[in-house]
Structures are given as C-alpha cells and as structure tokens.
Amino acid sequence: MTSVVDVGREGGAPVRGFFGPLRFLSAIGCAALLAATPAAAGGHGGKKLIGTITKNVELGYTVFGIGFAVLSADFRIQLSRSRYKVVSRIKTEGIAGLILQSRWDVVSEGRITPSGLTPIRYRSDISTNQGRGAVSVTRKGGKYLISAVPKVRADRRPLLAKKLRPNFPDPLSALISVSMYNTRPPCTGRQRVFDGRQIFDLSFKFEAAVTIKEGAQYSGPAYRCRVKHTPIAGQSSAELSQEARSPSPYHVLWLAEVDLTENGPKILIPVRISLNSGWGSTTVRLTRSSIGGKPLAVASATRKTRSTSKK
C-alpha cells in the first residue's frame, strides 16, 4: 500500500460555488492535452531526444458558455533538458467573473529521464470570493507527502489510500509523460491521475481524421476524439454514487499535429473542445499559442512546408 502523509490542517474557508466547474474544466483540459500527445514521441529515437530538448510551449484557451466567454485557461510547458515545469491557470472572465471571481493556479515540476518522468512537486491553489483552498504534493521515499487546506476529509481517506499507487502522476505531469513517451495511436487507452485530493481516470476514444477550416488559430488536418473523466476516489459519496448510476459522458475534442522540434518529436495540440457539461452549450477554443516562440499556425505551416519539399 502506498503511504499517504497528510500534513495539512483544518481551517480555511471551504471552497464552494465555482469549485466543481473549475475542477471539471481543469481535468478535461488536462485530458485534452493528454489525448493530444500520444504521437509526440516522434517514432523511433524519440525518447533519446527528450532529454536534449529546451523548449517553451504556451497555450491559451477561452471557454464559451451560451455564446459568452466565461473562463480562460492558460498552460505553459517549460522543457529544459533533464527537467520540466508545467504551469496552468484557469479563471473566470466576462459576466461570470463579475458574478463570481474565481482562479485556479497549478504548478508541476519534475525530472526527465530516458525511461520516463519523475514527478517531484505539485501544487494547486484555488480562490473564489466564497473561499480559498490549496494542496501540495511532494513525492519522497515512495510516499506522497500531502499538505492540504482544508485537509482531505477523513471519510474520504480510506478509499483514497486503498486506490492510490506510487506511480500515479499528477494531472500536469501526466500531460508531459504521455506527450513524450507514449507511441500509441492518438486518443486511445486510459490514464489514472492523482491531484492530491482525488483519483480519477481519463479515458480516450479515436473518432476520425478531419480537416478544420477557417480556424482562428489553426486550419488544416486534425484528429477528432472523445474523452471522459471518471471519479475513482477522494470524491464525495454522492458523486461516486452518481457515477455508478449514470456514468460520466464523453466530450469531443479536435487535435492539430505540429513538430515540437525540427525533425524531432511531434505534439498534438487541442484546438477545440465541445463539453457535455450539463450547463448548456459549452465550447473551449484555442485563442493563443506559441511553440518555441512561434504561433501554432506558423509552426504547423513550417511542418507542412518541409513535408511537401520532401515529396
């Protein structure tokens, strides 16, 4: 059994209101990026290149609900040879921001090795005008050292300890791990993830190769896939019971392929997500992107030009 050491404390205002939607969107955002990356190892020799890459990838998304911008989500991936750092921020925008100001900041750091990633630290901070909360996870000696405010609820710990294993990545480390080390076809399989409070599965299905026309950030070939978020442990008994009675739905996402480096590993970037959230029509669109300082449209066009010149 994996040891879980919770050194958090009671207290701190409980985070309610937009906490559920923020956690949901964070999970689906990571799921989209996870699904995006199985082709990123770049075939044979891709693993050998991973530890030599120094590259910054920045992705910005806007979440639209019933036609209005309600959330923004930003991801920054920093690769520096033997180390990685991933930073994400999700916050309310527009009318939603006026009604309920909310922000979720997440940071993950670790080491890059030829055989895989070694996560070291993970921290998540959330604040709304109804409360604040934070959780940090440090891996040491086969244990998860967890500091959480408020503490992980006592009634949720037994199942959490039973289901937890030493190799569960945090959401952002999972993103990088699958990005670089997985050579399966895009959008297949399942990934189990631990965020310091909850364990959940991200499951993927491939649908079709399509063409995106007249996209603001990208136009061209893409993959259409499905992804779902399944709670496993650490959630409320009501949420787990609801999942047993009525399994979570799949969501649709579209992925564009670009080179992470010239003649090196490729990465599939989510350019659009259609959420089956139960809150009406919800769409996530890529609104800002940069790969090594180049906008996604430029990076993908460079790849197409090289491909054409080789024919």
Side-chain angles (χ1 to χ4, degrees), residues 62-63 68-74 91-98 100 102:
T62 301
V63 181
F68 295 95
V70 294
L71 290 170
S72 64
D74 294 307
K91 62 179 182 177
T92 51
E93 301 286 357
I95 296 176
L98 294 175
L100 181 59
S102 304

Side-chain angles (χ1 to χ4, degrees), residues 42-229:
H44 299 294
K47 291 184 180 180
K48 295 180 180 180
L49 294 172
I50 293 168
T52 67
I53 293 174
T54 298
K55 184 77 67 174
N56 290 336
V57 178
E58 297 186 7
L59 304 170
Y61 297 86
T62 301
V63 181
F64 295 89
I66 320 178
F68 295 95
V70 294
L71 290 170
S72 64
D74 294 307
F75 296 85
R76 185 172 72 252
I77 304 167
Q78 298 174 321
L79 305 176
S80 183
R81 296 187 179 273
S82 62
R83 300 189 71 87
Y84 71 91
K85 182 177 182 180
V86 191
V87 179
S88 73
R89 172 174 292 177
I90 298 176
K91 62 179 182 177
T92 51
E93 301 286 357
I95 296 176
L98 294 175
I99 298 174
L100 181 59
Q101 294 182 355
S102 304
R103 195 174 90 177
W104 194 340
D105 294 286
V106 184
V107 180
S108 176
E109 299 179 79
R111 291 189 295 270
I112 300 173
T113 73
S115 59
L117 299 187
T118 303
I120 299 175
R121 287 179 293 274
Y122 171 82
R123 181 174 178 85
S124 172
D125 294 273
I126 184 171
S127 63
T128 77
N129 53 11
Q130 297 186 13
R132 299 176 64 93
V135 61
S136 66
V137 180
T138 302
R139 297 165 186 256
K140 187 175 182 179
K143 296 181 179 180
Y144 293 91
L145 305 180
I146 302 172
S147 176
V149 180
K151 292 183 68 173
V152 177
R153 289 181 47 163
D155 60 332
R156 301 182 186 183
R157 293 183 195 175
L159 182 60
L160 194 61
K162 179 180 179 181
K163 296 290 186 179
L164 194 58
R165 298 292 182 272
N167 61 339
F168 290 169
D170 62 77
L172 298 183
S173 290
L175 151 66
I176 299 299
S177 181
V178 180
S179 297
M180 298 183 181
Y181 293 90
N182 197 324
T183 57
R184 297 174 302 181
C187 304
T188 59
R190 182 181 65 186
Q191 175 72 63
R192 184 153 290 187
V193 177
F194 175 53
D195 69 0
R197 291 186 183 275
Q198 299 183 356
I199 299 172
F200 52 89
D201 280 348
L202 299 172
S203 305
F204 311 99
K205 289 183 178 180
F206 175 79
E207 281 202 337
V210 298
T211 300
I212 296 177
K213 298 180 179 179
E214 299 179 357
Q217 284 287 313
Y218 174 83
S219 297
Y223 298 107
R224 187 175 70 233
C225 306
R226 289 185 176 271
V227 59
K228 69 177 295 187
H229 165 274

Side-chain angles (χ1 to χ4, degrees), residues 13-33:
V15 181
R16 299 189 177 92
F18 230 64
F19 181 70
L22 278 176
R23 181 181 291 278
F24 174 82
L25 287 168
S26 179
I28 293 303
C30 290
L33 292 166

Side-chain angles (χ1 to χ4, degrees), residues 190-299:
R190 182 181 65 186
Q191 175 72 63
R192 184 153 290 187
V193 177
F194 175 53
D195 69 0
R197 291 186 183 275
Q198 299 183 356
I199 299 172
F200 52 89
D201 280 348
L202 299 172
S203 305
F204 311 99
K205 289 183 178 180
F206 175 79
E207 281 202 337
V210 298
T211 300
I212 296 177
K213 298 180 179 179
E214 299 179 357
Q217 284 287 313
Y218 174 83
S219 297
Y223 298 107
R224 187 175 70 233
C225 306
R226 289 185 176 271
V227 59
K228 69 177 295 187
H229 165 274
T230 303
I232 300 297
Q235 296 83 5
S236 68
S237 56
E239 184 176 351
L240 292 172
S241 297
Q242 175 65 23
E243 179 65 26
R245 291 193 304 270
S246 178
S248 303
Y250 276 90
H251 313 275
V252 183
L253 61 146
W254 290 260
L255 312 165
E257 184 181 76
V258 298
D259 287 338
L260 187 58
T261 62
E262 186 173 354
N263 300 320
K266 299 177 178 60
I267 187 167
L268 292 168
I269 300 296
V271 294
R272 190 170 72 213
I273 309 170
S274 179
L275 296 176
N276 188 354
S277 63
W279 313 320
S281 176
T282 306
T283 302
V284 184
R285 297 176 187 169
L286 180 69
T287 51
R288 182 179 60 83
S289 63
S290 174
I291 301 177
K294 296 180 180 179
L296 175 60
V298 175

